[in-house]
Amino acid sequence: MIQGRVRWKRFALVFVPALAVASVLVGATAEGAIGASFVVSGDTFKVSADTLQGQGFVQYGSTVENKKGQKIPVAVSGIRRATLTNMCQTVLVKSPVGAVTIRITAGTGKDPVIAENMIVDATQIEGNAVFTKLEAGRDASSLDQVPEGQGAAGMFGQQAAGVTIKDFRQVSWAVNAATFKLPGLKLAVEPGAHECF
């Protein structure tokens, strides 16, 4: 009987990026606000949820920078406290064994994912949204619904006291959160493309 062997170098090349993605979520549990400024990787990632509910919402335009020094335009969205039901996050990466999907799921049971003082640098957001007490056209530097959620002076900004988005879909370059609680966290590394949407 021939037993299978693990090719450790290939395994490491796939697993280490998976661990890094997980640490973005699990490791972002420090108390207090986290700055939104760091060099982004070469890959966007997708996040979906059945429902996202937020208390305190801000949004404005900005840019992120990659390792090559390229500026990438993004829509910055901040939420003071967000809950996500049935959350999925995937990133599709290239590896020596071909395309690999790193999938994280959480909040699939009775307890939702909870994020506090979350800042997202996104290129795409979709869903059926309802905003409460919306203020559109406010100067981005004067937004006050989210701690450290201000943009540059003179930039277009908008904010709301609350937001609910059903069938939430998002493509992002980066996410920061002061606290990110993921009940029922599961991480899987899957050969091929198996993204959230």
Side-chain angles (χ1 to χ4, degrees):
M1 181 176 177
I2 299 175
Q3 293 185 346
R5 293 188 212 172
V6 176
R7 295 188 179 181
W8 291 107
K9 286 184 179 180
R10 287 189 178 183
F11 176 80
L13 287 169
V14 173
F15 182 74
V16 171
L19 191 60
V21 171
S23 69
V24 168
L25 290 179
V26 181
T29 57
E31 295 299 325
I34 296 177
S37 178
F38 57 81
V39 175
V40 299
S41 73
D43 298 307
T44 57
F45 56 94
K46 295 182 177 181
V47 178
S48 68
D50 290 348
T51 304
L52 179 151
Q53 289 186 311
Q55 300 170 7
F57 171 83
V58 299
Q59 192 170 66
Y60 54 89
S62 187
T63 60
V64 294
E65 184 175 336
N66 64 17
K67 191 72 173 177
K68 297 178 181 179
Q70 297 170 319
K71 300 285 188 181
I72 303 164
V74 294
V76 178
S77 299
I79 301 178
R80 187 171 65 251
R81 179 181 171 85
T83 60
L84 299 94
T85 57
N86 194 25
M87 190 202 81
C88 168
Q89 175 184 299
T90 53
V91 59
L92 186 63
V93 297
K94 296 176 182 176
S95 77
V97 297
V100 174
T101 301
I102 302 166
R103 174 185 294 270
I104 294 173
T105 57
T108 57
K110 63 181 180 65
D111 297 320
V113 170
I114 299 176
E116 296 187 5
N117 295 338
M118 180 172 66
I119 304 291
V120 179
D121 297 323
T123 58
Q124 179 181 328
I125 299 174
E126 297 179 6
N128 300 305
V130 176
F131 297 90
T132 56
K133 298 183 179 178
L134 177 69
E135 298 177 347
R138 184 166 172 160
D139 189 286
S141 67
S142 71
L143 300 174
D144 58 11
Q145 284 288 340
V146 179
E148 299 188 20
Q150 294 80 37
M155 291 286 292
F156 175 91
Q158 58 185 3
Q159 67 177 17
V163 59
T164 300
I165 306 177
K166 294 186 177 180
D167 300 320
F168 176 71
R169 304 286 184 269
Q170 179 176 273
V171 180
S172 304
W173 282 101
V175 174
N176 290 280
T179 304
F180 215 134
K181 298 179 182 178
L182 296 108
L185 171 70
K186 293 181 181 179
L187 183 147
V189 180
E190 305 170 355
H194 305 283
E195 296 181 278
C196 297
F197 60 92

